[in-house]
Amino acid sequence: PLNLTRADVDFTCLGSCDYITGQAFSFVVNLDAIGAWPPSRDSHVEMDGAWALYEAWLRLQEGDIEIAVVTGSGRSSTGDPALIYPMEMDPYYLAPIGADPLTFAALQARSVIGAGIADERSMAEVAVRSRGKGTVDELLQDDYVREPLRRHDVPPITDGAAAMVLATGERARQMVERPAYITGFDHRTECHN
């Protein structure tokens, strides 16, 4: 336990995707959970928790804060990701092909299989361990959703949230015995760049 209070936090960055949630200012619920008193510097990034993490990390690098709380939340259950995600994509290269999340997951899986990192059997083994349903051989008999992915390879549409505390190296060493460090950051979203 860090024993931090809201007053100890210099900056809070909340990531939420209002477009998918179908609700403007959905990050406010996250801020309510954290507590908005005493007043502090808060920021909202419209996309995801990774952008929030990046913004807080940059602020720590600049040296104007020592402790930040970062949150990310998503509520995909209120919409249809197969319809919504393609509308969010790069309008020049990706949106015209109308690829949905499963198509991109299948392309990634095909790349992993092609590189020899995994195969369909090892992916089914993960599903059996994670979900505890069926056997590998049973799962491999299912039809493809998007080749090489079967239903067990595809995550359910779920809602979720995560939060983390970031601190400068000096403050982190004061708070915990063995802090983890982010030594660099690479957040790419636009394929044509």
Side-chain angles (χ1 to χ4, degrees):
L2 298 178
N3 297 321
L4 291 178
T5 67
R6 175 73 174 161
D8 296 322
V9 177
D10 301 316
F11 179 64
T12 302
C13 196
L14 309 156
S16 66
C17 190
D18 297 346
Y19 189 74
I20 293 173
T21 302
Q23 171 189 344
F25 302 104
S26 62
F27 73 95
V28 173
V29 178
N30 295 346
L31 186 56
D32 287 345
I34 294 171
W37 189 262
S40 67
R41 294 181 286 178
D42 297 302
S43 178
H44 168 239
V45 292
E46 170 57 32
M47 189 172 195
D48 60 21
W51 275 117
L53 174 66
Y54 182 63
E55 182 175 336
W57 180 80
L58 283 176
R59 295 286 304 272
L60 289 164
Q61 299 302 305
E62 290 294 323
D64 67 320
I65 64 170
E66 289 188 344
I67 299 176
V69 171
V70 176
T71 69
S73 67
R75 199 169 81 192
S76 299
S77 65
T78 57
D80 180 2
L83 176 67
I84 295 170
Y85 288 11
M87 290 190 287
E88 289 187 312
M89 302 216 179
D90 159 67
Y92 305 108
Y93 297 98
L94 299 178
I97 64 175
D100 64 5
L102 294 180
T103 302
F104 284 109
L107 290 170
Q108 291 171 331
R110 176 61 56 209
S111 179
V112 167
I113 290 170
I117 298 169
D119 58 21
E120 291 182 38
R121 178 165 284 282
S122 64
M123 293 180 348
E125 290 169 356
V126 170
V128 168
R129 281 194 312 269
S130 300
R131 297 184 185 182
K133 295 181 182 176
T135 66
V136 171
D137 291 329
E138 289 171 345
L139 294 180
L140 291 174
Q141 297 303 313
D142 290 345
D143 292 333
Y144 290 112
V145 176
R146 299 279 192 291
E147 191 172 352
L149 301 178
R150 294 177 173 87
R151 178 58 49 202
H152 66 265
D153 295 313
V154 179
I157 295 173
T158 56
D159 303 335
M164 68 184 329
V165 175
L166 298 178
T168 61
E170 185 176 330
R171 282 305 299 266
R173 287 186 295 278
Q174 292 170 1
M175 293 188 290
V176 296
E177 186 177 321
R178 293 180 43 202
Y181 291 91
I182 300 173
T183 58
F185 209 99
D186 188 10
H187 190 278
R188 300 177 192 197
T189 61
E190 299 184 29
C191 64
H192 57 278
N193 287 335

